[in-house]
Amino acid sequence: MGSYIFKRLIVLIPVLLGMTIIVFSIIHAIPGDPADTILGEKATEQSKQALREQLGLDRPWLEQYFAYLGDLLTGDLGSSIRTKEPISQEIGPYLAATMELTVASMLFAIVIGVNAGIISAWRHNSWFDYICMIIALVGVSMPIFWLGLMEQWIFANKLHWLPSIGRVNVREPLETVTGFYVIDAIISGQTAQLWTVIKHLILPSVALGTIPMAVIARMTRSSMLEVMQSDYIRTAKAKGLSQFYVVYRHGLKNAFIPVLTVIGLQTGALLGGAVLTETIFAWPGVGRYIYEAISNRDYPVIQSGILIIAIIFVVINLLVDLLYALFDPRIQYK
Amino acid sequence: MFTLMLTSVLLLAGCTGNKSATTAPEANGTEETAATGGGTLIVGRGGDSAALDPAIVTDGESLKIAQQVFDTLLDYKEGTTEVMPSLAESWTISDDALTYTFKLREGVKFHDGTDFNADAVVFNFNRWGDTKSKYKFEGDSFDYYDSMFGPEEDRVIASVTATDPTTVVFKLNKPQAPFLQNLAMTCFGIASPKAIEDEKANFKSNPVGTGPFVFKEWKRSDSITLDKNPNYWQEGLPKMDQVIIRSIPDNTARYNALQNGEIDMMEDLSPDDLATLEANPALQKINRPPFNVAYLGFNTTKKPFDDPKVRVALNYAVDKKGLIDAFFAGQAEPAVNPIPPTLWGYNKSVEDYPYDLAKAKQLLADAGYPNGLDQELTFYAMPVPRPYMPDGRKVAEVIQASFEQIGVKVKIESPEWATYLEDLKNGTKDDLFIIGWTGDNGDPDNFFYPLLDKDSIGGNNYSQYDSEEFHDLIVKAQQETDQAERSKLYEQAQVIVKKDAPWVPLVHSTPLLAAKAELKGYVPSPTGSEAYTNVYIEQ
């Protein structure tokens, strides 16, 4: 197991290096003078020159790249052109917001998706199965943007059940300690605040979690169907174990590896969808951070934001691979 | 994983919404009844501030907050661009227009309790003007100061001195006609010297001014909270106890939040939502006075547009009214001149070329093209939405169809935005193009000089329009300090532009705001942002 983890980590190095090259190339792919593009038409020549120096645009490409890499290794992500603040300081609260939303979405997707998949497989060809699979099919093809706006329109505007935007009621702000509002509300011991925070999480996490939920449901269903036909399930049933026990204990454990793969991939894919969800629900996360940076041509922020998302993606994949090994000790890295 | 990066970039590119940067405006005067007030006002807008120190920013969203926290020496009268006293109660101008003496308001205090006085004014102007000032922190640049009062080697302001605690004297190197107009810009808000000395570079996220609201908290990309300034120098103002400004990037989501009561007021309503807004008695529409211009420009250095006759002919072939109905939901007015009619100096007597294809065809024949133009021309249409032009490509397609009827064939191109601007600047690839401008301050010079003067060729004069006659008038107007005289010069300039027709002025769009019906006292400014001093929510 130890050597497996080690080998798996070694492979990350070229992957991460490759990412830095791509991310670094972004600023050089802009047509025209980046300083012109970034500062816009109304900037003076002086500030353009200062920016060129700040970004090191006057130096050779390779030299710039190694300087960038050196900065990255020391944790220096550069400064935002727009806010003039160091990105490494600025990005903290955004990351916390995105993580909270991602966790909530995946919880929704996994709990609903896995269970719907299991029940569909269990009650194969029943009306429940058909309905679930129709919902899953629609869910996969639903544009997040549209879904989000529809949710707002129905649950906020028409029914007034849930808030449509933001993380908390701004009239009664929450004391932030960790940046994870659910945790902050629990720490401060305010049940009312905790409820408000959860209510704010519902619509965006459903919007963001719908596609993964649908994909997970379909994968769980087909994987379970296969497993349920194997001999040991028949044996278990013959032993007179309860159906619930057979399905969740024996069936799910063996059907879970492909589901886990899908969960890993979907969590990564979620980060792309987060940009849209965070924009619609005015959720101050990394997606919003990058979205605003793109509208303002804040290239250092775009670079760092994408790099961070890519790193999270890689880390999730790593975790999934490690979990495989945990679930099935026969898996080894070759 | 690379696919992920790519998709996220693509997704982002696809959803860059309709955002306004520096915007502008028209007032619907909401009648002010008994001042009730109190409570919290929540405003929703499209983007977040970059920084809260107005001197170092150039974007409209940042200036909106500065407007609440800072006062300037002079201000614009509500809903207009007319200058009026603010922190300076009165002023005198020397005969040579080189010395301005301001008498300051007494008893005004900054939010940190220190006194506002002449020294504070001097401190601020020295900070902006001296490139080696120790209060110019890492990464800061005072772009607006440089662009309004000249770069370091060519400053308009020679010195600012305090003669007593309430008198400040500005000495100028050369006369500047829009000087007072410039001083009223939000970016020249007077900050507390003590706060800058104490906070240093952190001042940009902890602003301290004398304005109606006191900065409390900034949650980035989420909300900015401001409390009422209990010691505000205007008696009984502001009316609200607290203002929270939230950033909600998507226009529809912002409108949803307004309907759900999560915000009290929103900026940038999309014209598509106008019908549902008007049908909802719980909400009201607020028009900002238009302060922009969208235009179709001709590249006057290229054939056949080097001939004014051809340009005039094509002016007859654009149906502005039709464009407004189709793409602006009626929320715009046809443009006749390069400046919006809300701006002083506007020439009302200039008549527009009406939409008349027969006449256009005949004029084209008179210019020597009886069968239309033989070559296909390149028509640049904006790839991004702007407040003055929500969909440049569709507008271009309609114009293309009209042109075709008089025998003018164009092919529409929309390169990426940065390339687009670069190409217009160089003027080599395009024959005609769509672009626009939003005013920075209330001076006509801010439209005429950057957009049409020969000095601005290679800059924002994308038509490469080069007229000595026009140039003489604009330069003369820059040096004249009497506004009535200047107004006359600008009126003449508009006559020349109409005759030479380097553009087809298209529209002045009206940005829309929406609010709940109980919101009163809101007078939007043409400049794109206003203080919420008089706003209140009727209980």
Side-chain angles (χ1 to χ4, degrees):
Chain A
M1 188 72 189
S3 82
Y4 171 71
I5 298 178
F6 179 73
K7 280 184 203 154
R8 191 63 187 70
L9 285 174
I10 290 289
V11 180
L12 280 187
I13 296 173
V15 173
L16 290 171
L17 271 179
M19 277 173 2
T20 57
I21 292 178
I22 292 186
V23 166
F24 174 78
S25 312
I26 292 176
I27 205 160
H28 295 270
I30 324 164
D33 178 358
D36 250 344
T37 319
I38 293 166
L39 295 176
E41 305 136 78
K42 289 176 185 171
T44 58
E45 192 47 48
Q46 262 173 342
S47 44
K48 280 185 204 159
Q49 191 49 41
L51 179 68
R52 280 183 209 116
E53 276 165 32
Q54 189 200 326
L55 296 177
L57 292 170
D58 39 4
R59 287 182 288 160
W61 201 89
L62 259 185
E63 198 184 318
Q64 288 182 49
Y65 174 69
F66 283 110
Y68 171 69
L69 216 53
D71 286 346
L72 279 184
L73 287 176
T74 59
D76 179 2
L77 295 172
S79 289
S80 157
I81 288 167
R82 194 165 110 87
T83 65
K84 304 180 168 90
E85 302 266 5
I87 296 168
S88 50
Q89 273 176 34
E90 227 179 44
I91 204 162
Y94 290 105
L95 262 178
T98 294
M99 303 257 248
E100 192 168 73
L101 179 61
T102 312
V103 170
S105 306
M106 280 322 284
L107 268 179
F108 163 77
I110 295 171
V111 171
I112 308 274
V114 169
N115 284 303
I118 291 174
I119 301 172
S120 293
W122 187 1
R123 297 259 175 264
H124 186 40
N125 288 336
S126 68
W127 60 267
F128 182 88
D129 184 21
Y130 290 130
I131 292 179
C132 274
M133 286 311 107
I134 291 171
I135 294 177
L137 191 69
V138 175
V140 171
S141 39
M142 190 102 76
I144 296 185
F145 216 90
W146 184 82
L147 177 63
L149 290 173
M150 275 301 138
E151 280 181 13
Q152 284 183 345
W153 186 63
I154 297 169
F155 296 101
N157 278 355
K158 295 293 161 201
L159 300 172
H160 298 289
W161 288 354
L162 294 165
S164 66
I165 47 152
R167 298 180 71 189
V168 72
N169 181 356
V170 287
R171 285 176 216 264
E172 293 153 27
L174 177 74
E175 191 92 25
T176 46
V177 188
T178 60
F180 296 93
Y181 282 14
V182 173
I183 297 175
D184 288 345
I186 294 172
I187 293 176
S188 68
Q190 293 166 285
T191 356
Q193 281 283 22
L194 180 62
W195 179 229
T196 318
V197 170
I198 291 174
K199 278 209 292 196
H200 278 84
L201 263 170
I202 295 174
L203 293 186
S205 34
V206 170
L208 189 53
T210 295
I211 293 178
M213 185 265 284
V215 176
I216 291 170
R218 281 159 54 143
M219 181 49 89
T220 311
R221 178 178 177 271
S222 61
S223 179
M224 278 300 278
L225 277 177
E226 206 174 300
V227 170
M228 293 301 279
Q229 273 148 29
S230 46
D231 291 342
Y232 71 90
I233 294 287
R234 224 171 302 148
T235 316
K237 279 184 186 164
K239 277 201 300 186
L241 293 173
S242 76
Q243 195 150 34
F244 182 83
Y245 193 83
V246 171
V247 170
Y248 276 87
R249 196 55 220 185
H250 290 276
L252 185 58
K253 189 167 183 230
N254 289 288
F256 205 61
I257 292 257
V259 177
L260 193 62
T261 312
V262 167
I263 290 177
L265 287 174
Q266 288 299 314
T267 314
L270 209 77
L271 296 166
V275 175
L276 295 173
T277 314
E278 290 177 0
T279 304
I280 299 166
F281 291 97
W283 194 270
V286 180
R288 272 286 296 291
Y289 190 46
I290 299 178
Y291 170 85
E292 270 169 30
I294 289 186
S295 336
N296 293 300
R297 304 197 189 118
D298 195 340
Y299 290 96
V301 173
I302 302 175
Q303 276 186 343
S304 306
I306 293 181
L307 187 66
I308 281 171
I309 286 198
I311 289 174
I312 296 177
F313 192 78
V314 169
V315 170
I316 292 170
N317 272 327
L318 175 70
L319 288 177
V320 169
D321 281 1
L322 296 183
L323 281 175
Y324 283 166
L326 209 65
F327 267 85
D328 187 346
R330 287 169 302 176
I331 292 176
Q332 293 199 345
Y333 195 83
K334 288 189 192 104
Chain B
M1 148 201 39
F2 298 142
T3 352
L4 164 79
M5 291 162 64
L6 196 68
T7 17
S8 46
V9 173
L10 289 177
L11 284 172
L12 283 163
C15 66
T16 319
N18 189 348
K19 290 188 63 179
S20 77
T22 46
T23 352
E26 161 192 310
N28 83 327
T30 27
E31 279 302 309
E32 217 174 296
T33 51
T36 46
T40 302
L41 170 75
I42 304 183
V43 180
R45 58 170 177 167
D48 197 13
S49 293
L52 304 179
D53 175 358
I56 62 169
V57 297
T58 50
D59 65 305
E61 296 304 345
S62 296
L63 294 170
K64 272 175 197 159
I65 304 300
Q67 194 89 47
Q68 319 303 327
V69 177
F70 294 90
D71 285 315
T72 33
L73 287 181
L74 307 170
D75 203 352
Y76 302 114
K77 218 177 248 176
E78 260 197 341
T80 71
T81 55
E82 203 179 310
V83 172
M84 66 169 199
S86 181
L87 286 177
E89 279 183 318
S90 61
W91 55 91
T92 52
I93 307 171
S94 65
D95 291 339
D96 58 3
L98 288 175
T99 309
Y100 285 68
T101 309
F102 291 93
K103 190 80 192 149
L104 304 180
R105 200 171 290 281
E106 279 179 64
V108 177
K109 286 200 185 294
F110 288 107
H111 300 156
D112 58 5
T114 54
D115 287 325
F116 163 77
N117 53 29
D119 288 335
V121 177
V122 172
F123 176 93
N124 276 278
F125 276 87
N126 286 347
R127 175 180 178 229
W128 305 326
D130 175 8
T131 45
K132 289 181 191 64
S133 166
K134 62 174 175 164
Y135 301 111
K136 179 177 178 176
F137 307 109
E138 164 112 44
D140 288 359
S141 54
F142 303 118
D143 283 341
Y144 258 124
Y145 187 88
D146 291 349
S147 76
M148 304 326 287
F149 300 122
E152 198 190 1
E153 53 289 355
D154 185 27
R155 292 272 197 234
V156 169
I157 298 175
S159 70
V160 185
T161 41
T163 50
D164 65 57
T166 58
T167 312
V168 182
V169 180
F170 284 73
K171 293 254 186 236
L172 307 192
N173 285 322
K174 55 185 176 190
Q176 185 186 44
F179 185 66
L180 295 175
Q181 205 85 36
N182 289 346
L183 286 185
M185 290 171 71
T186 316
C187 48
F188 305 124
I190 305 296
S192 156
K194 181 172 180 294
I196 293 177
E197 281 161 3
D198 292 351
E199 294 276 345
K200 306 257 166 14
N202 283 331
F203 183 79
K204 62 176 173 280
S205 41
N206 288 293
V208 179
T210 60
F213 293 97
V214 181
F215 170 74
K216 189 177 170 201
E217 194 192 12
W218 183 10
K219 285 197 179 125
R220 285 183 196 262
S221 295
D222 185 32
S223 59
I224 293 175
T225 306
L226 309 169
D227 285 337
K228 175 185 183 143
N229 175 2
N231 306 314
Y232 193 48
W233 54 270
Q234 291 193 54
E235 209 57 34
L237 295 175
K239 291 180 181 165
M240 300 304 300
D241 291 332
Q242 193 178 47
V243 175
I244 300 174
I245 294 131
R246 307 189 70 170
S247 32
I248 309 168
D250 186 69
N251 282 8
T252 312
R254 198 163 348 106
Y255 183 50
N256 277 332
L258 177 71
Q259 289 173 305
N260 194 30
E262 287 167 84
I263 56 176
D264 303 312
M265 202 204 101
M266 67 171 279
E267 296 183 343
D268 304 317
L269 181 82
S270 55
D272 300 337
D273 292 325
L274 188 60
T276 61
L277 175 79
E278 284 174 336
N280 188 342
L283 300 177
Q284 60 173 314
K285 173 182 92 166
I286 301 171
N287 289 325
R288 197 181 276 291
F291 202 58
N292 53 33
V293 60
Y295 62 92
L296 184 161
F298 299 110
N299 188 336
T300 58
T301 55
K302 283 180 143 186
K303 269 199 171 316
F305 298 127
D306 53 348
D307 180 358
K309 282 189 207 150
V310 176
R311 305 195 298 250
V312 170
L314 292 192
N315 258 275
Y316 280 95
V318 177
D319 178 12
K320 298 175 193 178
K321 191 79 190 54
L323 293 176
I324 290 169
D325 290 340
F327 304 112
F328 294 82
Q331 292 295 312
E333 52 187 293
V336 179
N337 289 316
I339 59 172
T342 41
L343 188 54
W344 60 268
Y346 184 83
N347 190 337
K348 287 194 190 74
S349 57
V350 170
E351 267 179 48
D352 204 9
Y353 302 114
Y355 177 55
D356 183 347
L357 287 179
K359 174 102 176 164
K361 207 165 175 166
Q362 178 218 321
L363 286 175
L364 212 52
D366 293 351
Y369 302 96
N371 305 315
L373 304 176
D374 40 13
Q375 88 252 47
E376 191 181 45
L377 302 164
T378 307
F379 188 174
Y380 264 38
M382 299 161 55
V384 292
R386 276 285 172 273
Y388 49 76
M389 182 53 65
D391 194 336
R393 228 188 132 89
K394 288 211 180 109
V395 166
E397 280 164 13
V398 172
I399 296 174
Q400 179 186 39
S402 290
F403 281 1
E404 195 145 335
Q405 292 181 49
I406 57 166
V408 177
K409 278 206 184 60
V410 297
K411 64 168 191 295
I412 298 173
E413 282 183 22
S414 299
E416 189 273 330
W417 186 227
T419 316
Y420 189 88
L421 294 176
E422 191 73 22
D423 284 353
L424 292 196
K425 200 183 271 182
N426 298 333
T428 45
K429 297 203 178 136
D430 56 296
D431 296 303
L432 60 173
F433 53 87
I434 290 180
I435 192 89
W437 181 261
T438 300
D440 288 310
N441 63 359
D443 199 279
D445 184 61
N446 183 252
F447 279 82
F448 289 114
Y449 187 72
L451 299 182
L452 288 161
D453 193 87
K454 65 172 188 159
D455 291 352
S456 306
I457 293 176
N460 288 305
N461 181 353
Y462 300 131
S463 287
Q464 330 280 328
Y465 174 59
D466 184 353
S467 159
E468 275 306 324
E469 199 186 358
F470 178 84
H471 175 74
D472 289 344
L473 284 170
I474 297 302
V475 171
K476 214 165 147 196
Q478 281 175 342
Q479 285 154 6
E480 173 64 61
T481 49
D482 182 63
Q483 189 169 317
E485 281 304 312
R486 293 184 68 209
S487 195
K488 275 186 211 152
L489 295 168
Y490 288 128
E491 282 172 34
Q492 285 176 48
Q494 285 160 73
V495 173
I496 296 170
V497 173
K498 196 79 216 171
K499 183 183 61 149
D500 286 350
W503 298 358
V504 181
L506 296 173
V507 300
H508 306 293
S509 76
T510 305
L512 281 177
L513 297 88
K516 59 173 168 187
E518 295 82 15
L519 185 121
K520 307 277 172 186
Y522 194 89
V523 184
S525 157
T527 60
S529 63
E530 51 280 318
Y532 305 128
T533 321
N534 290 310
V535 178
Y536 64 96
I537 294 171
E538 208 170 50
Q539 303 298 328

